[in-house]
């Protein structure tokens, strides 16, 4: 799932979607931060996120876009999405790419003489319901939302809106050049309507681990070979994150927001408010209950201030340093970050680990041998199943699904291989429902007729399967003629997106782009 998210978060189509989401989140919830995360707390020392042909994308602009994109993913995925997943996805880089692409398209629109009138800006502003009162645009509400949630003047916000409309016009102009011939339409129709439905039986190595555990002699013999030692060493280096982990703490916090440039009187008031909360907690009050009542962090307030486990590089630096210095059960002094004042309580500490190869070579050898034995066993079972099916009996008869459980109990993964239908899918793609991607399997299915047993065992994602064609559908020319306009619309949308992506890639290749060394250390421009 992570690979799909990573790919989709980079696509231009997703950039447009998240551009809308970010605008909505900013308007309704303000600049994007969870109270102590978001961008890593580097903005004070690095005033720009990127420079595009000499124009600056400010740190604040990046931080707002990142924070709100982060929260948009959280809205979609819930607790599954966290800072670690964002890092694995490369979310910082993807958001920065989005901002760079936006800037390049705006500059190109201006270079081509495209303009946006005041009336167009006004029309767009009136469409934003956050600025409405009693169902109508209200200037007082407009100013209040901008100043309270964003800290922006109407002039600045309208300039951003004007730039977004320029970008939209530039994209619309690119889309107009998309064309599709009748031959392309027919090819797309054939691709979409050349379909099959397969019966598959999967032999999964993961289900054969119990039969594949190596004994002590096998492990010792494996480690005695050059091949085995090299495989174990390579595995250790590839998965060093398992054995070299930094110290982590599980903490709660209470945030009282204070602007970075707040007057001393506001700082003193926040200090007194949080200081009183600290006294209550030291006197026996529950930290979580106080956090739910007092904290200004929307990301953790309803969870009693709980931030879960985190390690270096996740939180703003002063926050991280204070938390890492605490023992379980300890409260911090009041900590000032760009978000405001924090009170932190650490509940659990995971010490750093640095296991050497010698400490884990037996463990790794066991895993590698078990995986190989399980895979070999899965392949041999699949080959035996294929041989049985060649006798003429269907896979559905040879590997029947278990009878439904009385009472409608939820389905669980079968303990033994069973025949399953994939459902109808297009042979124009390598993806097969319930199976995954396999060019070899789709090619064999395309060459087969209904009822045919496919002639070989297929390996997909480390598992092995045999397959039989349950249904086969070929493209119908009459249907093509009847739906030609619908096909044209789909093909044009696809070609429009490809044109925009290609054009923006060309702009990137010729642009002078410098990114913040602190934000993306691997990219210096």
């Amino acid at each position: 799932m992570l690979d799909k998210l990573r790919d989709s978060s980079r696509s231009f189509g997703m950039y447009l979607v998240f551009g809308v989401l970010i605008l909505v989140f900013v308007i309704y919830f303000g600049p994007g931060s969870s109270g102590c995360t978001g961008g890593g707390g580097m903005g004070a020392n690095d005033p720009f996120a990127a420079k595009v042909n000499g124009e600056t994308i400010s740190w604040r602009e990046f931080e707002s876009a990142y924070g709100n994109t982060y929260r948009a993913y959280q809205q979609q995925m819930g607790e599954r999405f966290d800072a670690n997943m964002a890092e694995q996805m490369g979310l910082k880089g993807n958001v920065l790419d989005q901002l760079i692409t936006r800037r390049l398209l705006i500059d190109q629109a201006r270079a081509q003489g495209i303009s946006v009138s005041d009336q167009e800006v006004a029309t767009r502003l009136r469409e934003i319901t956050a600025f409405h009162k009693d169902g109508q645009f209200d200037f007082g509400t407009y100013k209040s939302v901008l100043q309270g949630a964003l800290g922006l003047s109407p002039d600045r916000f309208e300039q951003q809106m004007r730039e977004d409309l320029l970008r939209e016009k530039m994209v619309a102009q690119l889309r107009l050049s998309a064309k599709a011939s009748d031959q392309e339409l027919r090819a797309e129709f054939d691709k979409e309507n050349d379909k099959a439905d397969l019966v598959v039986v999967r032999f999964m190595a993961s289900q054969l681990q119990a039969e594949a555990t190596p004994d002590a002699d096998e492990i010792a013999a494996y480690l005695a070979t050059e091949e085995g030692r090299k495989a174990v060493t390579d595995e250790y280096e590839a998965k060093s994150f398992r054995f070299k982990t930094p110290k982590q703490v599980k903490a709660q916090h209470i945030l009282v927001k204070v602007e970075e440039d707040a007057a001393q009187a506001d700082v003193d008031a926040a200090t007194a408010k949080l200081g009183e909360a600290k006294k209550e907690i030291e006197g026996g009050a529950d930290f979580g209950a106080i956090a739910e009542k007092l904290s200004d962090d929307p990301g953790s307030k309803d969870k009693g201030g709980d931030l879960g486990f985190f390690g270096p590089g996740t939180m703003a630096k002063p926050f991280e340093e204070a938390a890492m210095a605490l023992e379980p059960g300890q409260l911090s002094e009041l900590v000032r970050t760009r978000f405001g004042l924090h009170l932190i309580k650490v509940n659990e500490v995971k010490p750093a680990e640095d296991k050497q190869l010698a400490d884990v070579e037996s463990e790794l050898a066991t895993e590698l041998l078990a995986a190989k034995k399980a895979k070999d066993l899965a392949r041999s079972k699949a080959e035996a199943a294929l041989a049985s099916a060649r006798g003429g009996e269907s896979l559905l008869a040879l590997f029947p699904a278990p009878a439904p459980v009385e009472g409608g109990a939820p389905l669980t993964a079968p303990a033994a291989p069973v025949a399953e239908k994939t459902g109808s899918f297009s042979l124009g793609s390598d993806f097969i429902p319930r199976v995954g991607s396999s060019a070899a399997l789709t090619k064999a299915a395309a060459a087969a007729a209904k009822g045919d047993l496919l002639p070989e065992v297929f390996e997909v994602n480390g598992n092995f399967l045999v397959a039989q064609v349950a249904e086969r559908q070929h493209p119908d020319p009459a249907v093509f003629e009847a739906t030609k306009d619908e096909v044209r619309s789909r093909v044009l949308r696809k070609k429009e997106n490809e044109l925009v992506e290609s054009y923006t890639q060309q702009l990137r290749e010729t642009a002078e782009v410098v990114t913040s060394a602190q934000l993306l250390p691997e990219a210096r421009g």
Side-chain angles (χ1 to χ4, degrees):
M1 182 181 75
L2 187 59
D3 289 340
K4 289 183 180 178
L5 273 173
R6 185 182 295 113
D7 291 341
S8 66
S9 71
R10 290 179 181 143
S11 75
F12 191 82
M14 286 298 288
Y15 287 163
L16 297 180
V17 170
F18 275 109
V20 174
L21 282 173
I22 287 166
L23 179 62
V24 172
F25 271 82
V26 167
I27 288 172
Y28 281 102
F29 303 109
S33 77
S34 63
C36 48
T37 61
M42 299 174 287
N45 299 319
D46 199 353
F48 75 93
K51 292 184 179 179
V52 182
N53 293 329
E55 291 188 69
T56 295
I57 295 173
S58 70
W59 182 266
R60 176 169 180 164
E61 186 178 355
F62 166 78
E63 191 172 59
S64 180
Y66 177 83
N68 288 296
T69 304
Y70 185 101
R71 289 200 294 190
Y73 272 113
Q74 281 188 319
Q75 287 287 321
Q76 291 184 34
M77 300 178 62
E79 294 182 358
R80 292 177 297 163
F81 187 80
D82 58 16
N84 289 332
M85 185 177 286
E87 185 174 350
Q88 291 175 52
M89 285 171 57
L91 191 60
K92 288 181 184 177
N94 297 337
V95 169
L96 190 58
D97 279 346
Q98 174 188 353
L99 293 173
I100 290 168
T101 297
R102 176 182 181 273
R103 175 53 51 196
L104 288 169
L105 287 169
I106 290 166
D107 290 348
Q108 197 64 22
R110 287 173 174 153
Q112 294 190 18
I114 298 172
S115 62
V116 172
S117 69
D118 291 345
Q119 183 58 46
E120 287 174 305
V121 175
T123 299
R124 178 59 60 89
L125 290 176
R126 291 191 187 100
E127 294 171 353
I128 300 174
T129 57
F131 302 148
H132 288 191
K133 182 178 180 181
D134 298 327
Q136 299 292 326
F137 178 84
D138 178 74
F139 189 72
T141 302
Y142 171 53
K143 287 183 66 177
S144 175
V145 169
L146 290 186
Q147 292 170 359
L150 299 177
L152 291 177
S153 68
D155 285 346
R156 177 60 183 142
F157 184 76
E158 287 158 23
Q159 176 61 25
Q160 291 180 355
M161 183 67 70
R162 190 180 301 274
E163 290 180 343
D164 279 332
L165 288 169
L166 276 172
R167 175 188 58 79
E168 289 178 16
K169 285 189 173 186
M170 187 67 216
V171 170
Q173 181 171 294
L174 291 170
R175 290 180 181 276
L176 287 174
S177 60
K179 300 287 186 291
S181 67
D182 284 352
Q183 290 83 358
E184 288 174 307
L185 300 185
R186 183 58 191 265
E188 184 69 16
F189 176 82
D190 288 351
K191 179 180 175 182
E192 292 174 349
N193 291 278
D194 191 18
K195 297 181 178 181
D197 182 356
L198 302 180
V199 174
V200 298
V201 181
R202 293 177 290 175
F203 296 84
M204 305 172 68
S206 60
Q207 293 181 331
L208 299 170
Q209 294 291 335
E211 302 176 49
T213 304
D215 58 32
D217 290 341
E218 288 176 302
I219 294 168
Y222 184 64
L223 288 171
T225 66
E226 183 177 348
E227 178 188 356
R229 288 193 302 273
K230 182 179 185 307
V232 167
T233 301
D234 290 346
E235 187 76 355
Y236 175 77
E237 291 174 354
K239 297 183 177 178
S240 60
F241 64 89
R242 285 176 51 187
F243 312 115
K244 301 178 187 295
T245 56
K247 176 182 176 180
Q248 292 185 306
V249 297
K250 189 174 190 291
Q252 297 167 272
H253 86 131
I254 299 169
L255 168 68
V256 175
K257 281 191 175 180
V258 181
E259 297 297 328
E260 289 185 272
D261 56 355
Q264 188 59 45
D266 293 334
V267 176
D268 291 343
T271 301
K273 182 178 181 181
L274 197 52
E276 186 61 33
K278 183 179 181 184
K279 287 180 183 177
E280 289 184 47
I281 294 165
E282 288 174 334
D286 179 69
F287 190 102
I290 299 292
E292 288 181 13
K293 180 174 67 174
L294 188 66
S295 182
D296 292 327
D297 176 12
S300 68
K301 176 184 178 74
D302 293 340
K303 298 182 289 185
D306 185 22
L307 298 169
F309 277 101
F310 60 87
T314 306
M315 304 297 180
K317 200 65 176 175
F319 188 100
E320 176 189 306
E321 290 173 350
M324 291 295 173
L326 297 174
E327 297 296 327
Q330 281 189 322
L331 290 176
S332 70
E333 298 300 322
L334 303 192
V335 179
R336 179 87 183 263
T337 72
R338 67 184 182 281
F339 303 108
L341 287 170
H342 307 258
L343 178 64
I344 308 166
K345 180 185 177 185
V346 164
N347 296 310
E348 191 176 341
V349 175
K350 288 182 181 178
E353 285 190 339
D354 187 4
K355 294 180 180 178
Q356 301 303 304
L357 176 60
D359 300 326
V360 296
E361 64 177 2
S362 180
E363 174 187 344
L364 290 173
T366 301
E367 292 174 4
L368 290 170
L369 279 173
K372 183 179 184 305
K373 290 181 71 174
K375 189 172 180 178
D376 290 345
L377 188 55
R379 185 195 299 274
S380 67
K381 287 180 178 290
E383 289 171 347
L386 180 61
S388 296
R390 283 177 176 148
E393 199 164 3
S394 72
L395 292 177
L396 286 170
L398 287 168
F399 298 92
V405 178
E406 191 173 339
L411 294 175
T412 58
V418 298
E420 304 172 274
K421 283 193 174 183
T422 62
S424 181
F425 64 94
S426 169
L427 293 165
S429 165
D430 291 341
F431 180 76
I432 303 158
R434 306 180 70 88
V435 172
S437 292
S438 173
L441 182 52
T442 52
K443 183 178 179 181
K450 179 177 179 179
D452 286 355
L453 178 70
L454 300 190
E456 61 183 286
V457 169
F458 298 89
E459 181 178 356
V460 184
N461 298 328
N463 300 311
F464 299 89
L465 61 87
V466 291
Q468 193 166 23
V469 179
E471 296 291 342
R472 187 72 174 85
Q473 174 187 317
H474 296 278
D476 184 342
V479 174
F480 170 68
E481 292 300 329
T483 61
K484 193 172 181 179
D485 289 343
E486 296 174 21
V487 177
R488 187 183 303 278
S489 295
R490 291 198 300 274
V491 171
L492 282 174
R493 282 197 300 270
K494 180 180 177 182
K495 296 191 78 170
E496 287 168 0
N497 289 335
E498 289 172 350
L499 276 170
V500 173
E501 287 207 40
S502 174
Y503 185 79
T504 55
Q505 182 59 37
Q506 290 174 24
L507 291 179
R508 285 296 296 263
E509 289 171 358
T510 58
E512 183 182 343
V513 178
V514 179
T515 59
S516 163
Q518 286 183 285
L519 174 61
L520 300 175
E522 71 279 7
R524 296 288 193 268

